[in-house]
Amino acid sequence: MLTHPTHERLIALGLAGMAKAFEEQRRLPDLDALSLEERIGLLVDREAAERDTKRLTTRHKACRDNRSVLYHRVPRLFEALALARGHGRYGRLLKTLGRVQLLILDDWGLSVLNAAERRDLLEILDDRHGRASTIVTSQVPVNTGMMP
């Protein structure tokens, strides 16, 4: 079996956990005692554990520092604000958004904001200005060319 190319191929595919487990399995003296299903299971378990560890270590530092953090997808946030306005909870929701130490707004720019959404956003940002942090993220591609 060509072990070195397999190890390198696992790494190239982004399966670093499997690559580590593969190398560990190669070093086991009683490797034949494990069935194929057991060996594959160990590879998959190691990959899942490595990904969980990576996700936890790369999570926003504010969470690890026990700061209050709130995450919202922008389209759903505006839906929630509209519902809250209709149910008399608008002020309470704005207060919650204003109090949190870090507000993460994801999926910014997927659609054009209407007048009510623009007012809501202004209220949120105005309440937080100078007191708390806000992160805005987007998956909208950035045009790197010159503007016409």
Side-chain angles (χ1 to χ4, degrees):
M1 177 185 210
L2 301 173
T3 55
H4 180 69
T6 301
H7 181 261
E8 296 302 318
R9 186 74 172 166
L10 287 169
I11 291 173
L13 290 171
L15 301 170
M18 282 188 165
K20 289 177 185 176
F22 178 74
E23 286 300 313
E24 289 170 2
Q25 284 185 14
R26 282 193 41 226
R27 292 187 192 104
L28 289 176
D30 56 348
L31 182 62
D32 295 333
L34 297 173
S35 70
L36 177 63
E37 291 82 9
E38 290 171 324
R39 290 185 63 198
I40 291 174
L42 289 172
L43 291 172
V44 172
D45 288 346
R46 180 65 178 270
E47 181 64 31
E50 290 282 328
R51 288 183 183 206
D52 287 344
T53 300
K54 184 177 180 181
R55 187 177 67 244
L56 288 174
T57 57
T58 59
R59 255 193 199 152
H60 196 275
K61 187 174 179 334
C63 294
R64 292 192 314 264
D65 290 344
N66 289 322
R67 302 205 189 281
S68 59
V69 178
L70 193 57
Y71 168 90
H72 276 284
R73 288 187 58 245
V74 171
R76 292 217 175 125
L77 174 61
F78 289 136
E79 289 174 12
L81 287 165
L83 286 172
R85 189 179 288 111
H87 291 107
R89 297 184 324 242
Y90 182 75
R92 193 172 0 167
L93 181 53
L94 282 180
K95 187 175 180 181
T96 299
L97 294 169
R99 275 195 321 238
V100 69
Q101 292 174 321
L102 174 62
L103 176 63
I104 302 171
L105 301 176
D106 193 14
D107 290 340
W108 173 261
L110 295 181
S111 62
V112 177
L113 301 180
N114 64 37
E117 292 168 340
R118 288 191 302 269
R119 280 191 305 274
D120 288 344
L121 183 61
L122 179 62
E123 288 293 327
I124 292 167
L125 295 178
D126 190 49
D127 288 348
R128 302 179 58 70
H129 181 73
R131 300 181 322 103
S133 299
T134 305
I135 296 176
V136 179
T137 66
S138 177
Q139 296 180 29
V140 176
V142 176
N143 183 359
T144 58
M146 298 292 290
M147 297 207 44

